[in-house]
Amino acid sequence: MTDAQPTGTPAVGGDWGAHADTPAGRGLSAMIASDRLPHALLISGPNGVGKRDLAIRAAQALLCESGGREQGPCRSCRTCRRLHDPGQPALEPQHTDVEVVGPGSLCADANHDHRNTRTVGICVIRRIEHDANLAPFEADRRIIIIDPADALTADAADAFLKTLEEPPDGVHFILLTSQEAGLSETIRSRCRSISLAPLQIDSLETRLDEWAQTAGVDVPEQPERRAELLRLARGRPGWLQANLSAGDPVTLRAAQIDDAVRIANADRSERLNWSEQLAGRSATAQSVANVELILDAWTDWWRDLWLYLGKRSESLTHRSQMERIEQIAPMYDQQHITQFLEQIQRTRALIQQGVNARLALDVLLLAIPVARTSP
């Protein structure tokens, strides 16, 4: 079921982050303020749009020591900081009644090793079911965040459905997904849904400055690099924060484009050797993450070539690469680029379904369009 989200009322208060003034943020804050947060909430939206951040803020609001349920999370009390430490943003929540469950989470069987798994199996769900039926240890309720919910195996989803149908008192499940179609209709129908959309570029830029000051990270000062950074983010505050924390996204993207151009002109052997270097010989969480970064970069790059051929240069992402785009784009047929962009999306879907990332990347590299001439 999907609740109508208020569009004309302001956020309740507190620090609701990037989505404080969006319909989703206002709807969630209103639910918590009126004590109407459902036992199962589904937050959907693109990767990096801020789903996990909003879920953590919801947990903070519920447990905040400064009246978070009425006013929103303060983000500064001891409880709020245990759920999110600004000094260690990658740290998992350190509260006994809040847990983030995902691939690699522990199960009840000590002999199971889930460190490199990309799914959430039934053994993990069985452990969650057990924990959910225990009384909260510190607070008056439990919050269990499943990220991503589309990582549930079929057996795990079936088992979890029973918990959603008869939820324990005082437990809130918050499911996060960028692939809502990957969840069964029965699970979706038992959750109240809110959808996060990318922010407008002016809102994102405001949030960028606020967050950079709070987190103590540098942002590009040159207007051209700053504008390119915002275009790369595509309205996704989570992507912006994660990538700025790791370094300089604009410089990294330039290197990824260098690789894309080089590999497009490489022979079969060089392409496959590069694939092995990037993805490794076996599928791990890190190898999958590496391939997904490349898929993001290549989607933007080949889309820019497609846009240039379609005389839509004003929509380019990598405007700093304009000279190279003008040189390379005419070497390709626009229809062939369209087909390759579709192949990139199929590759992404296969990886999300559990296909070996190295194998999927090999197939993609061999499908790169053939240039009419060499650059």
Side-chain angles (χ1 to χ4, degrees), residues 332-350:
Y332 291 97
D333 179 85
Q334 192 175 28
Q335 182 59 35
H336 292 167
I337 294 178
T338 298
Q339 293 169 355
F340 186 59
L341 286 169
E342 292 171 350
Q343 179 68 36
I344 292 175
Q345 297 312 309
R346 285 194 292 270
T347 300
R348 190 191 304 275
L350 288 171

Side-chain angles (χ1 to χ4, degrees), residues 101-106 114 117-128 146-157 160:
V101 176
S105 290
L106 296 176
H114 296 290
T117 186
R118 290 153 56 195
T119 60
V120 177
I122 190 171
C123 55
V124 177
I125 293 301
R126 294 300 186 205
R127 195 263 304 166
I128 291 172
I146 302 182
D147 180 22
D150 46 272
L152 291 167
T153 64
D155 287 345
F160 187 51

Side-chain angles (χ1 to χ4, degrees), residues 67-111:
R69 295 183 196 178
E70 296 78 22
Q71 300 300 323
C74 73
R75 301 278 280 183
S76 59
C77 70
R78 179 174 177 270
T79 296
C80 282
R81 292 178 69 88
R82 287 171 66 191
L83 294 177
H84 173 75
D85 183 352
Q88 304 178 79
L91 189 67
E92 292 292 317
Q94 303 296 301
H95 194 290
T96 55
D97 296 319
V98 179
E99 181 181 3
V100 178
V101 176
S105 290
L106 296 176
C107 71
D109 192 325
N111 295 320

Side-chain angles (χ1 to χ4, degrees), residues 89-199:
L91 189 67
E92 292 292 317
Q94 303 296 301
H95 194 290
T96 55
D97 296 319
V98 179
E99 181 181 3
V100 178
V101 176
S105 290
L106 296 176
C107 71
D109 192 325
N111 295 320
H112 288 186
D113 183 356
H114 296 290
R115 284 175 295 181
N116 288 323
T117 186
R118 290 153 56 195
T119 60
V120 177
I122 190 171
C123 55
V124 177
I125 293 301
R126 294 300 186 205
R127 195 263 304 166
I128 291 172
E129 290 174 334
H130 174 268
D131 291 351
N133 281 284
L134 299 176
F137 187 73
E138 297 179 75
D140 63 349
R141 64 188 72 198
R142 288 182 180 273
I143 300 103
I144 298 173
I145 301 168
I146 302 182
D147 180 22
D150 46 272
L152 291 167
T153 64
D155 287 345
D158 287 343
F160 187 51
L161 181 60
K162 298 175 183 177
T163 301
L164 293 181
E165 290 173 338
E166 299 179 8
D169 291 336
V171 178
H172 298 285
F173 295 101
I174 304 179
L175 285 66
L176 312 181
T177 182
S178 58
Q179 303 289 327
E180 190 171 355
L183 293 175
S184 70
E185 174 58 31
T186 49
I187 284 184
R188 282 182 283 161
S189 67
R190 284 160 178 77
C191 299
R192 190 167 297 165
S193 298
I194 61 175
S195 178
L196 298 189
L199 301 180

